[in-house]
Amino acid sequence: SQTIHQWPATLVQPVGSPLSLECTVEGTSNPNLYWYRQAAGRGLQLLFYSIGIDQISSEVPQNLSASRPQDRQFILSSKKLLLSDSGFYLCAWSVFPGQGAGGANVLTFGAGSRLTVL
Amino acid sequence: EDKVVQSPLSLVVHEGDTVTLNCSYEVTNFRSLLWYKQEKKAPTFLFMLTSSGIEKKSGRLSSILDKKELFSILNITATQTGDSAVYLCRPSGTYKYIFGTGTRLKVLA
């Protein structure tokens, strides 16, 4: 069965420091991968999505970047954090649209990473 | 540009009440609409709707899709305190999966 791992679960970082959040998926190949951010009391904001290695789309221009060094690994980074980067970051995966039946397009989420920038 | 609007933004009801949550969307190459429930951490999947007019049910929750008018509703009957959560809808078109702002439901005992 497929599992998704996301870490770290919580972190507190000073303004201007770098960030690296990691996500890996097991039990599937060629997943679509996603990074979302959720500010307190708000909805899910799509940050990046990737349909393959070196195929990453950015949805919101900001000081964050994403990389996919391996098929099932997705990394969210920043060189210098801002106060506004605080929030709950969620990694998710789905099957490639068109594959499978019924469960196609369902997003499965990691447990999330809560980032506080001070 | 793809757009998803949910209403109401928040709702407070008492146990036993029935609630209706709304989701309207504009998505390129629409394929399906999904509902998720988010309690403390990550959202969990509730329903996927692909055809108009066919109601999906799971216990006290039910949902229906109108592909002509581009909206979906999620009904919860006989609400319980455990239904308190944020309910999110997500239309599925291309690879870009965007969510609505969510409806925050609080059920009082």
Side-chain angles (χ1 to χ4, degrees):
Chain A
S1 66
Q2 301 93 355
T3 53
I4 178 169
H5 303 280
Q6 184 181 341
W7 70 95
T10 354
L11 63 167
V12 180
Q13 297 283 100
V15 168
S17 63
L19 171 74
S20 181
L21 302 178
E22 192 162 338
C23 173
T24 59
V25 181
E26 294 176 359
T28 188
S29 59
N30 195 29
N32 289 348
L33 296 170
Y34 300 81
W35 278 111
Y36 290 89
R37 177 170 65 196
Q38 188 172 36
R42 309 285 289 275
L44 294 178
Q45 178 189 29
L46 178 62
L47 300 176
F48 300 93
Y49 65 97
S50 172
I51 61 171
I53 290 179
D54 297 329
Q55 292 179 278
I56 298 172
S57 298
S58 172
E59 285 302 300
V60 185
Q62 53 202 341
N63 66 320
L64 300 172
S65 62
S67 62
R68 186 169 177 172
Q70 299 179 50
D71 179 46
R72 291 169 290 172
Q73 184 184 25
F74 206 24
I75 297 172
L76 182 70
S77 304
S78 174
K79 291 183 180 174
K80 284 187 175 184
L81 284 168
L82 307 172
L83 284 174
S84 57
D85 291 325
S86 292
F88 189 48
Y89 289 79
L90 286 157
C91 178
W93 77 275
S94 76
V95 296
F96 190 82
Q99 291 177 353
N105 296 322
V106 175
L107 273 174
T108 303
F109 289 86
S113 300
R114 193 163 299 281
L115 169 66
T116 303
V117 182
L118 302 174
Chain B
E1 186 169 320
D2 293 352
K3 196 160 58 172
V4 188
V5 177
Q6 288 187 248
S7 63
L9 287 181
S10 65
L11 197 51
V12 180
V13 300
H14 289 92
E15 272 193 318
D17 289 349
T18 294
V19 297
T20 298
L21 310 182
N22 303 292
C23 173
S24 64
Y25 62 89
E26 291 176 34
V27 174
T28 307
N29 298 326
F30 177 82
R31 296 161 60 93
S32 56
L33 186 129
L34 295 91
W35 284 96
Y36 293 79
K37 177 181 181 182
Q38 185 180 24
E39 295 176 88
K40 297 215 181 296
K41 290 210 169 181
T44 54
F45 170 69
L46 293 174
F47 295 112
M48 180 165 69
L49 303 142
T50 55
S51 303
S52 275
I54 298 174
E55 186 180 33
K56 290 246 178 160
K57 289 190 117 173
S58 175
R60 295 174 294 99
L61 276 67
S62 64
S63 184
I64 199 158
L65 174 68
D66 186 327
K67 288 167 80 171
K68 184 179 172 190
E69 300 297 330
L70 307 182
F71 77 89
S72 174
I73 60 172
L74 175 67
N75 280 317
I76 309 175
T77 58
T79 51
Q80 301 172 356
T81 54
D83 295 327
S84 296
V86 175
Y87 291 85
L88 298 155
C89 71
R90 195 209 94 204
S92 178
T94 57
Y95 309 118
K96 193 171 94 171
Y97 293 166
I98 60 171
F99 283 81
T101 48
T103 292
R104 182 173 295 277
L105 173 65
K106 188 170 177 65
V107 182
L108 303 174

